[in-house]
Amino acid sequence: MAQEKEIKSALISVFHKEGLGPIVQTLNDLGVQIYSTGGTEKFIKDLDIEVTPVEDITSYPSILGGRVKTLHPKVFGGILNRSDNEQDQEELKSYDIPQIDLVIVDLYPFEDTVASGANEQDSIEKIDIGGISLIRAAAKNFKDVLCVSSKSDYESLLGVLKNSKGKVSLKERKNFAAKAFQISSHYDTAIFNYFNTTEQLPSHKQSFEKGVELRYGENPHQQGFFFGDFDEAFNKLHGKELSYNNLLDVDAAVNLMAEFTNDAPTFAILKHNNACGLAQRDSIYKAYVDALAGDPVSAFGGVLISNTEIDKATSEEINSLFCEVVIAPSYSDEALKILTKKKNRIILVQKVFQFEDEIVRTCLNGVLVQDRDLKTDNEEEIKTVTKTSPTDSQVDDLLFASKICKHTKSNTIVLAKDKQLLASGTGQTSRVDALNHAIEKALNFKFDLKDSVMASDAFFPFPDCVEIAGKVGITSVIQPGGSIKDKLSIAYCDENNISMVMTGTRHFKH
């Protein structure tokens, strides 16, 4: 079989016709026999280019409202025959089947239709049958057929046709085939996931059409990629390309700040996926200053995020700090001029976008899949279990601390006061270690822990944490509860005038 294949005939049947004109014109100039159907046939005729209807090959019209046009042995025989197989070639002659060297077919826009909110029947009608079959057949037989399955490849096809005068190498045909199977597999995944929103079959499928190679992974010796549509979530205004670790921190930042959507101005600083500073104030300037005070050492090289527009005054403060990424829903013109003075600083505008409902991570020889933790502790559901009840301001601080705790690596303890993160103990193997670490850190930055509050992501198995907390002045505690020794912690709080509320919800984050 020859490595190079001259295109003498083409079947063209597409939904998206943008950019198709120059290709059809080039094929015509090369003397290629063109077959087509329906709207594409009319499009080609309107270009004053000769085209043969597929019906002339099959002797069957388009039937069932256009559901069946190309599903016929004469069409698929012309695509699937092997040029080096004598019996295949004899059958082509015997059944008067034309050879088809090029197939240009795309698919009905199923995903776009679903995303538009269309009803079930309209969505089902956009499940392509003939198109997907033609793509699979042409891609399978790449040794003899060139398959073009997306308008995104029109430009590449045009270049191939013009540069080689209609002769296509085996390498090029195989490359186009790989793209075709990527498109077909993505399409089938989208259809399955549409059905599985109601059927709930025990199967997990993901597919991403967009991907970018990163500079490296977590470390320079690791290769890294991001698969997804970053531009759907952010406008990148300035700075270097985001790294693997940048993306993880950005993900942690936007998930944390989602807890404070439509709240008073709130600013957070994250390092290694955990908040090292967070404050809520009456201005974003004050929120940033107090967030930074939580841990100005860890803030170096961190990711900064605001829930409201960043103004000039705030940007001037930020500009004195080395940080990797700044995220906000908007920036004043003056703020942007200041923040973009550092050429590598990444400036992102966060758009309104939908988080995935599931969280997926690799594990052993498979993946773990779970629902996203959408539960946020609120005042209506917390239960006071001590004789002393928290004040209104303490309740505000408890819920504030709980939101931070939910987005901090377990085991974790969060200390807060006046809607400011004082310190947290993150990712410790012992809850006591987490608390001691938080206390040491808060005192190191000269915070007064008197009348502060403590949040824990899980219950206290022993009363040791509340004892340690009480001795440094912490006066209110929020925790899930559920330990068989809850009564011991409650008893200590009652004896020492500490209020405690239980949420009934654990927020582990491993």
Side-chain angles (χ1 to χ4, degrees), residues 343-411:
K343 71 173 185 176
N344 286 329
R345 180 184 286 148
I346 298 165
I347 309 296
L348 300 177
V349 173
Q350 183 179 343
K351 303 177 185 178
V352 177
F353 71 98
Q354 183 66 44
F355 291 104
E356 293 292 332
D357 294 332
E358 294 179 331
I359 295 175
V360 183
R361 62 194 298 182
T362 58
C363 180
L364 301 175
N365 61 342
V367 296
L368 288 171
V369 181
Q370 67 171 344
D371 295 335
R372 184 176 295 278
D373 184 358
L374 298 176
K375 175 73 172 176
T376 298
D377 299 327
N378 60 71
E379 187 173 355
E380 290 71 27
E381 295 179 350
I382 60 176
K383 179 182 178 182
T384 301
V385 295
T386 50
K387 296 175 182 177
T388 301
S389 296
T391 64
D392 289 346
S393 62
Q394 285 177 326
V395 169
D396 287 344
D397 279 344
L398 289 170
L399 295 175
F400 175 84
S402 172
K403 290 177 180 179
I404 302 171
C405 203
K406 171 184 170 182
H407 293 274
T408 307
K409 294 290 186 182
S410 302
N411 284 327

Side-chain angles (χ1 to χ4, degrees), residues 319-333:
N319 202 44
S320 64
L321 173 73
F322 169 71
C323 58
E324 292 274 353
V325 184
V326 182
I327 310 166
S330 60
Y331 303 82
S332 71
D333 292 340

Side-chain angles (χ1 to χ4, degrees), residues 419-430:
K419 292 191 176 179
Q420 179 184 21
L421 172 61
L422 305 184
S424 59
T426 64
Q428 302 299 308
T429 54
S430 158

Side-chain angles (χ1 to χ4, degrees), residues 79-80 103 133-142 145-147 177:
I79 295 169
L80 285 167
V103 172
S133 301
L134 290 168
I135 286 172
R136 290 179 63 85
K140 173 181 178 176
N141 202 28
F142 68 88
V145 180
L146 175 62
C147 179

Side-chain angles (χ1 to χ4, degrees), residues 190-395:
I191 294 169
F192 168 76
N193 286 332
Y194 173 77
F195 277 89
N196 214 37
T197 55
T198 56
E199 302 310 308
Q200 295 293 297
L201 302 180
S203 180
H204 173 74
K205 299 184 189 300
Q206 274 190 305
S207 177
F208 296 99
E209 287 188 300
K210 294 185 177 181
V212 60
E213 184 175 1
L214 305 172
R215 295 195 300 273
Y216 48 81
E218 265 183 303
N219 300 291
H221 61 277
Q222 295 170 268
Q223 191 174 21
F225 296 87
F226 172 71
F227 293 99
D229 190 352
F230 186 84
D231 294 337
E232 179 188 10
F234 300 97
N235 281 332
K236 181 172 177 285
L237 303 181
H238 181 77
K240 63 184 179 182
E241 294 303 312
L242 282 92
S243 69
Y244 184 99
N245 293 332
N246 287 155
L247 289 166
L248 288 175
D249 284 329
V250 168
D251 178 72
V254 296
N255 276 281
L256 171 59
M257 195 53 72
E259 301 285 351
F260 301 96
T261 302
N262 300 322
D263 278 8
T266 307
F267 207 105
I269 304 171
L270 287 88
K271 195 72 173 289
H272 302 307
N273 305 166
N274 296 308
C276 59
L278 198 153
Q280 188 172 96
R281 295 291 182 260
D282 58 3
S283 74
I284 200 62
Y285 173 81
K286 291 179 180 177
Y288 170 72
V289 170
D290 287 347
L292 180 63
D295 188 346
V297 175
S298 295
F300 181 86
V303 169
L304 281 57
I305 185 167
S306 167
N307 74 340
T308 191
E309 180 170 282
I310 292 179
D311 56 19
K312 179 183 178 182
T314 308
S315 68
E316 287 174 337
E317 291 292 329
I318 293 173
N319 202 44
S320 64
L321 173 73
F322 169 71
C323 58
E324 292 274 353
V325 184
V326 182
I327 310 166
S330 60
Y331 303 82
S332 71
D333 292 340
E334 295 89 347
L336 273 180
K337 288 178 183 177
I338 293 167
L339 292 174
T340 54
K341 287 180 180 178
K342 303 287 178 67
K343 71 173 185 176
N344 286 329
R345 180 184 286 148
I346 298 165
I347 309 296
L348 300 177
V349 173
Q350 183 179 343
K351 303 177 185 178
V352 177
F353 71 98
Q354 183 66 44
F355 291 104
E356 293 292 332
D357 294 332
E358 294 179 331
I359 295 175
V360 183
R361 62 194 298 182
T362 58
C363 180
L364 301 175
N365 61 342
V367 296
L368 288 171
V369 181
Q370 67 171 344
D371 295 335
R372 184 176 295 278
D373 184 358
L374 298 176
K375 175 73 172 176
T376 298
D377 299 327
N378 60 71
E379 187 173 355
E380 290 71 27
E381 295 179 350
I382 60 176
K383 179 182 178 182
T384 301
V385 295
T386 50
K387 296 175 182 177
T388 301
S389 296
T391 64
D392 289 346
S393 62
Q394 285 177 326
V395 169

